Each structure stands twice: as C-alpha cells, then as structure tokens.
Amino acid sequence: MSHPIPLIDLETVTGDALVEHLARNSCVLLKNHGIDASALNALLTSADDFFALPVSDKRAVQWPGEGPWFGWQPVSEAADYADLMERFELRLDANLASDDRARWAGSFTAWPKKPDGFRGSWSTMYFALRDLTSRVMLLVADGLGRRNEDMTPWTSHQHSNLVANHYFAQEVAPATGRWRAHPHTDIGGITLLWADHAPGGLEVAIDGGETWVPVLIPANTWLLQVGDLLHLWSGGRIPANPHRVVNPPAGSKHAARRSIVYFHHPSPEVVVTPPAGDDRPAVTAEDYILARQQQDYARTKPIL
C-alpha cells in the first residue's frame, strides 16, 4: 500500500500548515505548483534522447570526477556497490547568477551538442523549479518564524541542480546490496521530484525510519522532500526525508525507470545556522555539500 502523503495546494496553504505537514511527514505532495506539463514533457523527451546516445557522445559532457556534480554521470560504474543508474545534472554556478537567464544558462560548460532542443528544455524547467523552490522556502520561513531573516541565500541566490535519472532495465537480478538508489537523505534544503510509475520505485521511511513504504506521485503533482540543511536550519523541527529507489520485482526485469529531480541548496557561502537556542554547530552550505558527496550514502551516517 502506498503511503498517504499529504497533498498540499500551494495556492491556499499557509506557512504554518506547510511546516506542520513537513514536521510530521518530512515530505508532501504539491498541486497547483505552476509547473507546466508541456515543459516537463519536453524535458523528459530530451533526457530520453540524451541517454539513448552512444557512450562516446555522453562522455563529451561527463563530470570530471572532482568538485560539485554536473554533467553526465555513469553512476553505476563508480564502484561494485554503486547505484544502478546514470544521470545528467545541470548545475548553474550561483556566483554567476544573472537577471539575464539565457546568459546565465549559457555559462554552463557541459551542454551536450545532441539532442536538438536539450538546452532550451532544460533551461526552461530549471528556472521554473528555481522560482517554485523560492516560493516554497518563503512559506517555510514564515512557518518557522524566520521570515525576518535574509532569505536571499535560500531564494534568489540559491545554488541548485536539475537532474534527470535513468534507472536501467535489469536483465539479470542485481547483486545483493545494490539498489537503483540506496537509502539516503538529500543534502540541501528541499528537493522537488517527479517520477514515473515503472516497477521498482521510490520508497520513503516513516515511523522514525523504522518502516519503508512505496510512494506513487500522482499526475500533475511534485513530491517535496526535506534535506539535511533545512533540517538543521529548522532546529530539527522538520526531519530530513530518508528515501530509496528499489529494484524492480521479479517478472518486470525489463522495466527502466526515470525521474526528474531539482535539488535546492542555499547559496554555497552562506552559514546555515540553527534557530536561537539550538546548540548544534553551524556549517557552510558548500562545506556540507562537498563532504556529503564524499560519503557512501548507504554506509555512513549524515554529518549533522
């Protein structure tokens, strides 16, 4: 049975109500979010066409192996226990942010030459989700009583990545301990997720992490998940959302799966500080992001 995650109407929800739902569940479904379905479909088509390219074409825009993630990443090749997937990641440098969005998008150095329309569809979705996460963060700040603080590091100066994940069809059963995406919490502030309903899908932990339940994201909704840095910034009131992507069950081995993810982080140089009275140490967003990238999510505990 799927977990009954609250469905939130962004046109009417208050900050207090949103924070209360996140505090109880660590994730919610969003409707009336303003993300155009045709823009999502254009992004999905371009991502499918990119992943279908020969490996030699994809390697031309591969992440070099150090620094923040971007570009094509054949994740499954990283180690014997790596997640069974590949992804493409659009990372726009927060330090190059510009009101001229086309110019800012042009600063990205890993745009693939094929397929046609890739850059346009990805740029459109990146900025739509950027605007949406800014809107959500202002609501969260209201609900936490922190709206009087400078929110620009979480909104107009946010540092965020748009990712397409391609989970491979599995011709043979994977080795024990290998997942499509093994259990973890996300690094940053909030995550927005769209995913298809192919077998072998998303599960979230409930009951304080004791029980894993499958999640299906209905049409015209996005899943909002809480990450580690928002957990810290909320003084622990809002928990980070543990989740994983399981392998397809027997009898559906040929089913590939895809998801679109927007990882929202505050500006890299901002010091993420808990509310007054919380004695946990503050951390810069950049330090935390890079430290988490070095961890094997399935075998280590979060830093915070």
Side-chain angles (χ1 to χ4, degrees), residues 275-289:
D278 190 312
D279 60 1
R280 282 179 295 180
V283 62
T284 67
E286 183 173 36
D287 286 348
Y288 187 72
I289 291 167

Side-chain angles (χ1 to χ4, degrees), residues 32-163:
N32 291 327
H33 41 66
I35 302 301
D36 186 73
S38 63
L40 172 61
N41 288 334
L43 175 67
L44 288 167
T45 297
S46 68
D48 289 344
D49 290 346
F50 173 79
F51 290 131
L53 292 172
V55 169
S56 58
D57 288 351
K58 292 186 283 190
R59 289 206 186 281
V61 291
Q62 185 171 352
W63 177 57
E66 59 183 17
W69 289 320
F70 68 89
W72 180 59
Q73 298 157 51
V75 178
S76 62
E77 299 176 9
D80 290 342
Y81 54 82
D83 292 339
L84 297 169
M85 60 175 292
E86 63 179 331
R87 64 180 175 231
F88 186 88
E89 189 155 356
L90 170 59
R91 172 185 177 267
L92 295 187
D93 190 335
N95 293 321
L96 300 178
S98 171
D99 292 336
D100 184 342
R101 290 183 162 184
R103 180 179 179 181
W104 188 18
S107 69
F108 185 56
T109 60
W111 287 118
K113 294 180 179 180
K114 295 183 290 187
D116 293 340
F118 188 97
R119 175 171 165 175
S121 62
W122 279 69
S123 298
T124 296
M125 184 58 70
Y126 182 94
F127 290 118
L129 293 171
R130 187 173 187 270
D131 292 341
L132 176 55
T133 52
S134 293
R135 178 181 170 193
V136 169
M137 281 304 306
L138 290 177
L139 281 170
V140 170
D142 272 341
L144 292 173
R146 301 193 68 167
R147 183 65 177 272
N148 62 327
E149 301 178 16
D150 180 11
M151 288 299 296
T152 57
W154 298 87
T155 56
S156 60
H157 293 171
Q158 65 172 276
H159 162 72
S160 300
N161 295 9
L162 175 61
V163 177

Side-chain angles (χ1 to χ4, degrees), residues 131-215:
D131 292 341
L132 176 55
T133 52
S134 293
R135 178 181 170 193
V136 169
M137 281 304 306
L138 290 177
L139 281 170
V140 170
D142 272 341
L144 292 173
R146 301 193 68 167
R147 183 65 177 272
N148 62 327
E149 301 178 16
D150 180 11
M151 288 299 296
T152 57
W154 298 87
T155 56
S156 60
H157 293 171
Q158 65 172 276
H159 162 72
S160 300
N161 295 9
L162 175 61
V163 177
N165 292 323
H166 173 217
Y167 301 101
F168 306 119
Q170 296 178 2
E171 300 298 325
V172 297
T176 301
R178 295 200 76 174
W179 305 74
R180 281 182 158 172
H182 50 275
H184 65 282
T185 56
D186 289 336
I187 298 172
I190 56 178
T191 298
L192 292 176
L193 172 69
W194 175 93
D196 66 24
H197 291 177
L202 177 70
E203 295 184 346
V204 300
I206 59 173
D207 300 331
E210 296 296 321
T211 305
W212 289 93
V213 294
V215 176

Side-chain angles (χ1 to χ4, degrees), residues 253-273:
K253 64 182 180 180
H254 298 294
R257 181 178 173 85
R258 58 186 181 167
S259 64
I260 302 298
V261 194
Y262 186 83
F263 294 107
H264 162 278
H265 313 96
S267 179
E269 71 278 359
V270 72
V271 177
V272 180
T273 306

